[in-house]
Amino acid sequence: LDVLGPLGREFPVEPAVTDAIFVAGGIGVAPFLLLARTFREQRGKATRLRLLYGARSAANLVLLDEFKKLGVEIELATDDGTRGTKGTVMPLLDWTLPRGAASTPGAQLFACGPNVMLKAVASFAAERGVPCLASLESMMACGFGTCLACVFPVHDASDADFHYERDMATLARVLWEAKSIFLLGAGRSGLVTRAFGTRLVQLGKVCHVVGESTTPAIGRGDLLLVCSRTGETKTVVVLAQTAAASGARVAVVTAQPSSALADLGHPLVHLPVSPDLSARQPLGSLFEQSLLLFLDAIAAGIAEKRPRALIQMRQRHANLE
């Protein structure tokens, strides 16, 4: 048995937070025990800790004794009224930070639970002017955030990670519109890129692998798809520059958005790779694994939008094997 984790971003413990209010719904209580322990270890009694915890019934309430040992103030709500207030946690939150009262200095909300609860808490926080951080419960199909199963849209996204879904859609579009697609990558990244070429051919696209003896000249209307973790492999950069000079469009997927190759990418897709997780695997393994999932997701997305695509892909599957 092997377990990979923890995944995602942890809640930060900031010295400025003197009143940490945990809002939990159902199994969303799980991360708050560790967060409470971290606050006590780093801040001692300097931060007031409060837990507003909702569940379906009293039988579903867990970890209460552990929170009490840490000196966490607990308010409960159950849907059936078997313990605490009957209903959701939102009335508890309203009582904790009442309307019209001055915002508690140093107060911050930490929320984890069903999406409908998170949306309500986020709206409440925005209305009352209280900082709020939410931990989403979405299932992660790939474990790295590459396949986008866990992605949520945001209203104001200045972080490059939040443009990821948009860039993915753009890449899928330019791949489909290209007259011919040329695939370029070195080493293991190149192998993954070639595997994606198989799917593109099955989708009905004309594909060529750079370096093969049957690869024709690239030109206007064509697309060069380049995949490189570092974005600095010299031969790959030179070939991408040649394609751009020939009038072809260059699309780049890389882990380094500030690199020589990234400057040529239109579109440029930044495939973020966690340094912590990368340290557990040799060299560029994590990027290559993420790249495979990402490109397969692109192919699946293209197929999903086209009637009979799966049937046609089966018909185009190689039969000389």
Side-chain angles (χ1 to χ4, degrees):
L1 176 64
D2 189 17
V3 178
L4 177 64
L7 301 171
R9 298 180 180 179
E10 62 184 12
F11 283 120
V13 176
E14 303 289 350
V17 178
T18 57
D19 187 4
I21 304 169
F22 310 143
V23 185
I27 61 174
V29 72
F32 292 129
L33 183 60
L34 177 60
L35 182 59
R37 287 173 178 164
T38 305
F39 264 109
R40 285 291 180 248
E41 290 171 0
Q42 297 186 16
R43 301 281 298 146
K45 296 290 185 178
T47 299
R48 181 184 184 184
L49 303 181
R50 296 192 267 181
L51 172 65
L52 312 182
Y53 181 14
R56 291 186 178 181
S57 67
N60 300 120
L61 296 169
V62 297
L63 303 176
L64 298 181
D65 290 339
E66 286 80 355
F67 279 107
K68 289 178 181 177
K69 291 176 183 177
L70 294 170
V72 179
E73 302 171 34
I74 302 174
E75 296 289 345
L76 303 173
T78 52
D79 292 344
D80 59 6
T82 51
R83 188 164 180 184
T85 301
K86 183 176 182 178
T88 70
V89 295
M90 294 311 296
L92 300 180
L93 188 55
D94 193 40
W95 299 333
T96 302
L97 297 171
R99 186 186 302 274
S103 179
T104 305
Q108 180 161 327
L109 297 174
F110 300 84
C112 185
N115 292 337
V116 64
M117 186 205 84
L118 294 179
K119 185 175 181 180
V121 173
S123 297
F124 176 94
E127 179 185 324
R128 304 293 167 93
V130 180
C132 176
L133 293 173
S135 178
L136 306 181
E137 291 183 345
S138 299
M139 295 294 292
M140 296 181 71
C142 68
F144 303 104
T146 299
C147 66
L148 300 181
C150 62
V151 167
F152 278 75
V154 296
H155 293 294
D156 182 15
S158 57
D159 191 320
D161 289 352
F162 293 123
H163 297 307
Y164 181 43
E165 188 172 9
R166 179 201 65 191
D167 295 339
M168 182 179 182
T170 302
L171 178 58
R173 177 178 58 80
V174 299
L175 282 166
W176 191 253
E177 293 174 351
K179 183 174 64 177
S180 295
I181 300 169
F182 292 71
L183 305 172
L184 176 60
R188 285 162 54 102
S189 295
L191 293 174
V192 174
T193 308
R194 289 168 67 114
F196 179 53
T198 301
R199 287 287 179 259
L200 291 174
V201 169
Q202 291 165 352
L203 283 165
K205 298 301 296 180
V206 176
C207 283
H208 306 285
V209 176
V210 175
E212 296 290 337
S213 59
T214 56
T215 301
I218 194 170
R220 194 171 301 278
D222 296 331
L223 174 72
L224 176 68
L225 174 62
V226 192
C227 300
S228 170
R229 179 179 64 88
T230 64
E232 296 290 350
T233 306
K234 292 183 179 180
T235 54
V236 173
V237 172
V238 170
L239 290 171
Q241 291 170 338
T242 301
S246 300
R249 187 169 190 167
V250 178
V252 174
V253 181
T254 180
Q256 298 297 332
S258 298
S259 61
L261 197 55
D263 292 339
L264 300 170
H266 302 285
L268 165 67
V269 177
H270 172 212
L271 197 60
V273 177
S274 166
D276 293 336
L277 292 176
S278 294
R280 304 181 189 180
Q281 300 193 56
L283 304 175
S285 293
L286 187 57
F287 174 78
E288 293 140 13
Q289 293 158 9
S290 299
L291 180 63
L292 176 62
L293 290 167
F294 172 75
L295 294 178
D296 267 355
I298 289 277
I302 292 174
E304 187 178 22
K305 295 180 180 179
R306 287 157 181 83
R308 294 180 51 81
L310 295 179
I311 295 175
Q312 292 169 346
M313 289 177 74
R314 293 190 189 98
Q315 293 171 344
R316 297 188 185 105
H317 192 282
N319 56 9
L320 293 177
E321 54 183 3

